[in-house]
Amino acid sequence: MATNFRNFIAGKWVAPSTGQYFENRNPADTTDLIGCFPDSGAEDVEAAVRSAREGFRSWSRTPAPVRGDVLRRVGDLLTARKAEIAEAMTREMGKVVAETGGDVQEGIDTAYYAATEGRRLFGHVVPSELRSKWAMSMRRPIGVAGLITPFNFPLAIPTWKTFPALLCGNSVILKPSEDVPHTCTILVEILLEAGLPPEVIQLVHGRGETVGKALVEHPGVPLISFTGSTATGSLIGETCGRMHKRLSLEMGGKNAMLVMDDADLDLALEGVLWGAFGTTGQRCTATSRLVLHRKIHDKFVARVAEAAEKLRLGDGRSPKVDVGPLIHEAAREKVERYVEVGHEQGAELVTGGSRPKGARTAKGWFFQPTIFTNVKQGSRLEQEEIFGPVLSVVRVNSFEEAVEVNNGVKYGLSSSLYTRDVNLAFRALESLDNGITYVNAPTIGAEAHMPFGGVKATGNGHREGGWEVYEFYSETKVGYVDYSGRLQRAQIDAVDL
């Protein structure tokens, strides 16, 4: 019999008010049922908000270094359980266990980085324009943070949001993707074991159109952070704008890897395979477009295709597997539709383009690593986010044309350039219209102490990670102390001094 998992609300593991559950199955083997998770409703969100507001009252008054100590213990616990969590995460979302191990490590790094920020939530002390007056600013928490996370990084992205929010003194309501509910259940268990006060963290499982919507629309949640599709993010943005909520959006990408004719092609080959087909292409930073200088185009395409055909598909828990499944049937059907679009728009299928055959992949949502050439700038295959193992190759005649192709999409998350020319490298950093640019590395690879995010339709100006995220999860409070013993009227009196 399947295990019925629960929400964590008001300090207890509780069943959903709806009495309804949804199944969570292994995408590599859909006969493997992980468990049933709450299909919660607005009443569960209401209860979570009430509890989180109580938790905020005490947690916001807890010294920031003490809050950091809790997160340091979280890092220790994640480290001790890294292999176990990686195995469970691969079973839940499919990517190979080496990648889920990296996912856990991101959580560990984020925990330890957040712990140090507990002693670094700096404000500023500046000279006043008046005598005997002190002018300063400080950070203060905002309130209840509603965090909505996607399926592709089941631990890393929830920690990117949860740990800074908690460190800054906010309480948290975590709504994970319904495709990966188990990993966030483990995360909340670890937070509690580390000593986080129970009412400071709430976990509400459910669907975006019910739980996510209720969380975004609740007047008691002044802070929302969302990672997911641009379409959904736009709807959330409309609501939060109308309700004057603070909002961080991290959405889609159509990332390009630019390979010049002087590039180290061995290095570029490794980069594009990892960037395009790691996590089965289900990354917002995935290398979706390969922009090749005409002088190396044919030779490099042949090498990429040959290597892609050797990638082994299967259950990511096997050390012999390179590429796991897509997250669910709808994701695979979307990839298949884009393969049809590629054919219709005159692109040339070089390899892949269909479901694999064989017993090893028969029970899961697998799709072959796929490469199209002759992809025209402006075509749907070149413009639209697919979120699967499909690589679109675009031929260019120059670096300038490559920059034009990179910048010619509505997204602006990540880009990369392979070249031996240091001048081109710095020109790329300046001219590629993305939040992140890599030189001689693929389009993926965030580090916990660096800001992460994009421009244009990828985001709304905020960043995950690094030092900038702590500015999002806290507000600036300005204080003046006048110890002159007389009325000083700022600029009116300052001119007389």
Side-chain angles (χ1 to χ4, degrees), residues 223-256:
L223 181 66
I224 296 290
S225 180
F226 168 81
T227 299
S229 73
T230 298
T232 301
S234 296
L235 294 174
I236 292 172
E238 291 174 8
T239 300
C240 290
R242 186 175 65 252
M243 299 182 71
H244 308 292
K245 296 191 178 195
R246 180 172 293 204
L247 171 65
S248 175
L249 295 173
E250 202 284 292
M251 302 177 288
K254 189 68 177 177
N255 314 291

Side-chain angles (χ1 to χ4, degrees), residues 26-77:
N26 180 350
D29 178 2
T30 57
T31 65
D32 178 18
L33 178 61
I34 297 166
C36 296
F37 287 80
D39 194 354
S40 307
E43 289 184 19
D44 301 291
V45 173
E46 182 64 41
V49 173
R50 286 197 302 269
S51 177
R53 293 178 77 170
E54 288 297 319
F56 173 72
R57 290 188 178 92
S58 58
W59 184 245
S60 61
R61 294 192 295 269
T62 301
V66 176
R67 300 194 296 253
D69 287 341
V70 172
L71 294 173
R72 183 177 293 105
R73 291 194 291 272
V74 171
D76 294 340
L77 291 168

